Amino acid sequence: MSQQTLTAETDSAQFSEGPADASTDVLELDGLTQEYGAETAVKDLTLSVRDGELLTLLGPSGCGKTTTLRMIAGLEQPTRGTLTIDGETVASETGCVSPEDRDVGLVFQNFALFPHLSVAENIAFGIDDWDADDREARVDELLELVGLTDHREKMPAQLSGGQQQRVALARSLAPEPDVLLLDEPFSNLDVRLRVEMRQEVREILKATGVTAVSVTHDQEEALSISDRVAIMNDGEIEQVGKPELVFENPKSRFVASFLGRASFVPGRVRGDVVETQLGTLHTDQLNGPIEAYDGARIDVLLRPDDLTAHLEHEDAADGHIVDRQYNGPTFVYTVELTDGTAVRCLHNHVETFEHGQPVRVDIEADHGLAWYPT
Ligand code: ATP
């Protein structure tokens, strides 16, 4: 039995997402593959996105996120597989519907606003074939939705970065697309604004009920805005699910390492306990059934918020402080354990340790811990 199977069972037991209802899927990718010569950028990708859902493709540079988004938009034809939007097959081995004939909106990294058009004209751009009254009503509605009614006559250069992003969003939403695609939508904003805009963009998308797919390599962004995240690695999806579920129960070491600052602490299963160099854990503290691994070596996933360090005499210490990162309200200390494993401990900003000090490390997790067979 694999850890993957075990955690899948735990997932459904812990957080039921309810039965899958195919009739509510707006976007369906089935065996989607993109090859560039000898290189396979996206491999046999199968994924459904539900009506009104915001799903984020998250993964390291080069894992195939943008290629997937471009295939959904119709900017690239897949080598194999099919793509269905609102029940219509828009890409398959037999043909491909052009981007302008798909009900898909796109928000680019750089917002791509027309500099010579006002805010209202930018928003109206994609609906110039609408009746004039309907068009004006739609622009008014969107200006109100994105909080820019008082800025309708301004030119893009007269707007802040956050306001430009809201115009770009309103422009893409104007034709009421079946699916909205967002390509690294926050990467052009400074860090403070980025955090503010995440919540705002999510609220706007939820208010319209649009089905959306976003792409990012920023895990915090993906976890905070999405209904579900799909973690990609080397052209394939490793895990898809609710952010909290994927974060707390990563099915593979790759997903665990990509989300949060993961350490893997070796342990041995002995009956209903797991012995580690940081103490003994009861198997109840671990995710999923572990009986089949009695006597085996496993690695337990521990993140900074699961661990605390305490000053200790050299003889009884688990390891030594080798690094300290100050983050304002918190410190993250890196402790090198006696076997060379590095673990990180999250502390309040007033709890200070010096480089080289011997410490004991306690596991203080109040949630099930993920583990992987060695
Ligand atoms: P990033 O976060 O850096 O944008 P990504 O996950 O979006 O990365 P893609 O842009 O989808 O990754 O690229 C996936 C792989 O396909 C990469 O190895 C890339 O070099 C390759 N690739 C993408 N477009 C082309 C192309 N037009 N021709 C050849 N190879 C390509």
Side-chain angles (χ1 to χ4, degrees):
M1 195 167 10
S2 69
Q3 164 73 354
Q4 192 129 347
T5 317
L6 296 174
T7 51
E9 285 162 3
T10 316
D11 283 359
S12 52
Q14 283 185 333
F15 304 96
S16 173
E17 292 193 61
D21 180 357
S23 65
T24 62
D25 290 339
V26 168
L27 180 66
E28 289 173 75
L29 283 55
D30 188 6
L32 218 58
T33 298
Q34 184 62 276
E35 292 169 353
Y36 299 112
E39 183 177 359
T40 306
V42 174
K43 287 176 210 159
D44 198 19
L45 195 141
T46 295
L47 177 72
S48 299
V49 186
R50 299 164 197 157
D51 190 16
E53 183 178 39
L54 168 52
L55 181 135
T56 301
L57 300 174
L58 172 67
S61 183
C63 72
K65 307 180 295 288
T66 307
T67 304
T68 305
L69 207 71
R70 289 174 60 81
M71 287 193 283
I72 300 170
L75 301 169
E76 291 192 33
Q77 181 162 358
T79 314
R80 277 186 300 286
T82 57
L83 201 131
T84 308
I85 297 176
D86 212 13
E88 184 196 356
T89 300
V90 294
S92 69
E93 269 137 69
T94 53
C96 209
V97 174
S98 65
E100 53 278 13
D101 291 328
R102 296 184 187 192
D103 271 339
V104 170
L106 253 172
V107 179
F108 297 98
Q109 293 184 14
N110 58 2
F111 315 141
L113 297 178
F114 301 112
H116 58 290
L117 298 183
S118 69
V119 166
E121 287 165 343
N122 261 284
I123 296 174
F125 184 81
I127 50 173
D128 58 349
D129 54 340
W130 284 29
D131 166 83
D133 288 346
D134 290 346
R135 190 170 62 231
E136 195 154 329
R138 180 72 178 145
V139 170
D140 287 348
E141 183 188 9
L142 285 163
L143 280 167
E144 196 179 328
L145 178 71
V146 300
L148 290 176
T149 303
D150 295 341
H151 301 268
R152 61 178 302 139
E153 301 308 333
K154 282 192 179 168
M155 304 306 278
Q158 297 171 297
L159 301 175
S160 70
Q163 289 168 334
Q164 288 182 33
Q165 186 183 46
R166 282 185 265 157
V167 177
L169 197 56
R171 186 182 58 181
S172 305
L173 289 168
E176 300 175 330
D178 286 334
V179 177
L180 186 71
L181 305 176
L182 303 112
D183 184 10
E184 300 266 4
F186 307 99
S187 60
N188 249 12
L189 303 173
D190 70 51
V191 178
R192 194 187 51 80
L193 193 55
R194 210 178 292 173
V195 174
E196 225 176 273
M197 286 306 293
R198 277 181 202 154
Q199 192 56 26
E200 206 165 305
V201 167
R202 180 174 162 84
E203 281 167 17
I204 292 169
L205 295 180
K206 289 293 148 192
T208 62
V210 71
T211 304
V213 179
S214 106
V215 153
T216 185
H217 57 264
D218 179 335
Q219 51 155 300
E220 203 181 291
E221 173 188 319
L223 295 175
S224 65
I225 67 164
S226 315
D227 295 314
R228 285 191 303 154
V229 290
I231 313 292
M232 289 187 72
N233 180 24
D234 204 12
E236 296 178 274
I237 290 183
E238 292 239 346
Q239 189 171 0
V240 57
K242 290 182 182 176
E244 61 271 37
L245 209 151
V246 176
F247 186 80
E248 289 190 9
N249 213 346
K251 284 183 181 166
S252 67
R253 284 170 197 261
F254 171 82
V255 176
S257 312
F258 193 72
L259 295 178
R261 304 172 75 184
S263 298
F264 299 96
V265 171
R268 188 180 284 280
V269 186
R270 293 201 191 279
D272 56 7
V273 297
V274 178
E275 291 163 358
T276 79
Q277 56 194 312
L278 301 181
T280 301
L281 292 163
H282 196 274
T283 50
D284 286 354
Q285 293 173 266
L286 302 179
N287 287 340
I290 199 169
E291 300 82 50
Y293 289 90
D294 194 8
R297 286 180 179 281
I298 61 166
D299 286 333
V300 181
L301 167 66
L302 292 165
R303 295 200 180 95
D305 56 308
D306 301 326
L307 299 171
T308 51
H310 305 271
L311 281 180
E312 185 57 274
H313 290 297
E314 188 69 53
D315 323 345
D318 292 317
H320 295 86
I321 302 284
V322 293
D323 191 34
R324 172 170 88 164
Q325 189 183 65
Y326 179 54
N327 303 311
T330 61
F331 277 115
V332 175
Y333 290 99
T334 304
V335 178
E336 189 176 299
L337 304 179
T338 41
D339 74 347
T341 306
V343 296
R344 297 186 188 87
C345 310
L346 182 70
H347 282 257
N348 190 292
H349 62 107
V350 294
E351 295 169 309
T352 54
F353 301 107
E354 298 303 322
H355 191 278
Q357 278 185 316
V359 287
R360 182 184 84 240
V361 176
D362 291 345
I363 302 174
E364 295 189 351
D366 52 6
H367 58 90
L369 296 170
W371 56 275
Y372 306 89
T374 308

